Amino acid sequence: MTVQIAGVASTEFGEHPDSSTRELFTDAALEALEDASLSVHDIEELYAGNFIGDLTDDQAHVGAMLADYIGAREAASMRTESACASASSAARSGAQAIAAGDADVALVGGVEMMHASGLGEVTDALANAADNEYENEAGLTFPGIYALMAQAYMREFDADQEDLAAVAVKNYENGTTNPIAQRLEETDVENVLDSPPVATPLNLQDCCPITDGASAAVLVSAAYAEEHGLETTVSFEGSGQSSDSLALQDRPDLARTRAAERAADQAYDSAGISPDDVDVVELHDCFTIAEILAIESLGFFERGEGARGAVEGETAVDGRIPVNTSGGLLAKGHPVGATGVAQLVEITKQLEGRHPNQVDDPTVGLTHTVGGSGASCVVNVLRAGGE
Amino acid sequence: MQQWFIDFAERIDDGDPIYLACEECGTTALPPRSVCPECGTRTFEERSLSETATVTASTTIFSSIPAYADETPYTVVVATFDEGVRLTGQLRDADSVEPGETVTVDAEERDDGWLVTFSPTG
Ligand SMILES: [Zn+2]
């Protein structure tokens, strides 16, 4: 592939009461462009993820709005929406446009403002990623859906709540040293188990927080980078995306995310690598159980073995396969429509050797982003080395 | 709430629940699906669904969406019917159930639509 990453940026994640969807995205976009040494007028295509803005802001047509407000009115623009995987779809779309030769410069990103709405309203909006009739109308929340997956997993593989809690302990610790992270305090297994129940067996500290945030990345063709003397040190190496049943009830195994398995296979194929080649990972830990399912789907652990990843330190910053060195969604935060590119920003920093929780000399990094309970999954692969 | 779900729930309420079976490959599904996800044909036929199912998983929800905020905690169950289809509903007549328990399906009419429910059998 000939797609290079020229610049990346994320805003601080947390609460931005004095900002808005269009303002916060502008902050990330302009910082990414500055990082790339390019201007808004260089952007040919803009793809931006945004999931619940229709409901929280009463605003659709978000692609054009963001292009307008960052000052790129001449660019082709589109909002991508695949629930919490929206921004990864944006990154994939931008990379595809460049790989196909249709564009030389694409700005990809995402934004979500979740704090301005009440918790009930946000929970309701997020539930729109599930099957409205079969799941939401039954009172099933998102934590509830992952709780069902957790119960099925724990029962099938004899895992327990302590195994889930170990994921939160690891990611909270990583978050304490990430300057953009929302949660800045460590936790321990007892604290996770003692935190209030949300949907059994998941407690509050098994769940990611509600987050305002925006992320952006500037993708360019290798030819453009060379022609304009851009210093690119990371390439967008491959991508995969797949789907599954919208409702959890329509899957033969509740504790298995097949869209992620298919997206990973496709991404590994397109990048010409295997799971063993991956040095650092940002994946979709919206709930502790989600990280366990993800490291199995991505091929880093056999099915049923993922529960020991955090417990035995294999997924730690200095472990065999470092996972969520940013703090992940659990600690960094989860501005739903921005998360996929937020992950890409973190992996780019790892591959450039400038991450606050730097792993030892990584070459290949990967992002994994899930929409809904797994009805969408996008896996993107990055590699150190410009062209 | 979509009309197809109202129709589906009313059949449960009438004691005459239905499911779909693919005439080509036997795959089972729930309405309003028309294309078989396994073989790709459009040959689903409506069949009668049993009224009991086995609990596959359940969760007790403490933090809810606005429609159910006044009813927490409540338990949501995914149950599997002998015919192969699974259905999600709220638990009635018990505080909790274990995977493997047998439950009976029913439906309740609410202000804003229909709710599928399960109760322990026996
Ligand atoms: Zn069929």
Side-chain angles (χ1 to χ4, degrees):
Chain A
M1 249 210 202
T2 57
V3 182
Q4 303 287 301
I5 297 172
V8 295
S10 288
T11 64
E12 282 188 19
F13 282 7
E15 295 189 41
H16 288 278
D18 299 324
S19 191
S20 63
T21 299
R22 59 190 82 180
E23 293 169 278
L24 201 62
F25 183 78
T26 301
D27 292 343
L30 293 195
E31 192 183 331
L33 285 162
E34 190 184 337
D35 191 38
S37 306
L38 290 173
S39 98
V40 288
H41 300 293
D42 296 316
I43 302 169
E44 295 165 67
E45 308 224 349
L46 184 157
Y47 297 94
N50 180 249
F51 170 20
I52 59 173
D54 305 69
L55 300 160
T56 56
D57 298 358
D58 234 359
Q59 177 70 61
H61 210 177
V62 173
M65 175 182 81
L66 298 177
D68 180 12
Y69 273 78
I70 68 168
R73 289 180 181 167
E74 62 275 27
S77 63
M78 187 167 70
R79 164 211 188 174
T80 56
E81 193 272 299
S82 42
C84 301
S86 296
S88 275
S89 295
R92 177 177 156 84
S93 298
Q96 286 173 331
I98 292 171
D102 290 338
D104 283 314
V105 181
L107 182 80
V108 299
V111 57
E112 208 75 60
M113 291 293 289
M114 303 172 75
H115 267 286
S117 313
L119 180 63
E121 193 188 336
V122 169
T123 307
D124 213 18
L126 294 174
N128 280 11
D131 188 309
N132 186 61
E133 269 64 30
Y134 279 118
E135 296 180 322
N136 299 350
E137 297 284 0
L140 193 53
T141 58
F142 247 91
I145 291 177
Y146 275 89
L148 293 168
M149 297 161 84
Q151 191 198 50
Y153 183 93
M154 289 160 70
R155 199 175 158 80
E156 184 173 356
F157 298 115
D158 201 25
D160 55 30
Q161 281 181 290
E162 282 81 356
D163 296 331
L164 303 187
V167 174
V169 173
K170 169 182 70 79
N171 292 352
Y172 278 41
E173 186 186 344
N174 291 346
T176 60
T177 40
N178 185 350
I180 72 152
Q182 180 167 7
R183 278 176 161 153
L184 300 169
E185 284 172 15
E186 294 190 15
T187 190
D188 56 28
V189 170
E190 292 77 57
N191 255 315
V192 179
L193 298 184
D194 289 344
S195 63
V198 173
T200 56
L202 300 180
N203 293 333
L204 190 60
Q205 291 193 2
D206 287 294
C207 307
C208 67
I210 298 289
T211 309
D212 300 334
S215 294
V218 182
L219 308 183
V220 299
S221 67
Y224 185 94
E226 194 179 346
E227 208 174 300
H228 293 78
L230 302 181
E231 284 179 28
T232 60
T233 55
V234 175
S235 64
F236 190 103
E237 200 75 2
S239 178
Q241 178 164 356
S242 189
S243 313
D244 201 346
S245 70
L246 183 64
L248 182 66
Q249 67 183 23
D250 290 333
R251 297 188 204 145
D253 293 305
L254 301 192
R256 186 167 180 184
T257 51
R258 287 175 192 265
E261 294 172 15
R262 290 189 283 264
D265 282 347
Q266 200 186 335
Y268 291 142
D269 270 358
S270 71
I273 60 165
S274 75
D276 291 341
D277 297 316
V278 179
D279 300 310
V280 60
V281 180
E282 287 288 322
L283 58 75
H284 204 85
D285 59 328
C286 48
F287 302 97
T288 47
I289 181 64
E291 175 162 318
I292 292 170
L293 296 174
I295 55 181
E296 295 179 6
S297 299
L298 292 168
F300 304 133
F301 290 82
E302 296 291 320
R303 278 199 79 218
E305 297 289 311
R308 64 180 177 82
V311 172
E312 297 179 6
E314 290 201 58
T315 52
V317 173
D318 61 355
R320 172 174 69 87
I321 177 75
V323 171
N324 288 327
T325 64
S326 69
L329 282 53
L330 284 169
K332 179 169 95 289
H334 183 26
V336 286
T339 278
V341 170
Q343 295 171 321
L344 185 145
V345 171
E346 299 290 333
I347 291 294
T348 299
K349 289 178 177 174
Q350 281 286 358
L351 298 177
E352 291 179 345
R354 58 174 172 123
H355 196 276
N357 292 315
Q358 185 64 44
V359 308
D360 187 27
D361 201 21
T363 303
V364 175
L366 173 151
T367 68
H368 155 283
T369 329
V370 174
S373 59
S376 289
C377 185
V378 183
V379 174
N380 292 328
V381 176
L382 309 186
R383 183 188 287 273
E387 284 190 14
Chain B
M1 176 167 281
Q2 304 282 312
Q3 186 61 44
W4 59 261
F5 190 80
I6 295 170
D7 295 343
F8 175 72
E10 284 179 348
R11 293 291 293 265
I12 296 175
D13 188 49
D14 291 344
D16 183 26
I18 57 104
Y19 74 108
L20 306 172
C22 176
E23 288 187 35
E24 194 65 33
C25 77
T27 293
T28 59
L30 293 171
R33 200 175 290 279
S34 70
V35 179
C36 173
E38 291 302 318
C39 74
T41 65
R42 213 168 173 177
T43 60
F44 275 129
E45 65 166 10
E46 201 174 289
R47 290 187 189 167
S48 188
L49 181 67
S50 46
E51 289 187 76
T52 58
T54 306
V55 173
T56 298
S58 70
T59 178
T60 300
I61 292 177
F62 289 83
S63 176
S64 184
I65 52 181
Y68 288 101
D70 296 337
E71 298 172 35
T72 54
Y74 58 88
T75 297
V76 174
V77 174
V78 172
T80 307
F81 292 79
D82 284 348
E83 290 83 354
V85 293
R86 284 190 175 138
L87 192 55
T88 308
Q90 280 190 22
L91 183 65
R92 292 289 180 265
D93 306 324
D95 292 331
S96 64
V97 277
E98 290 298 312
E101 274 190 57
T102 306
V103 287
T104 304
V105 68
D106 206 344
E108 285 174 12
E109 192 167 13
R110 292 171 59 96
D111 293 345
D112 48 356
W114 282 87
L115 172 66
V116 173
T117 63
F118 291 106
S119 310
T121 304

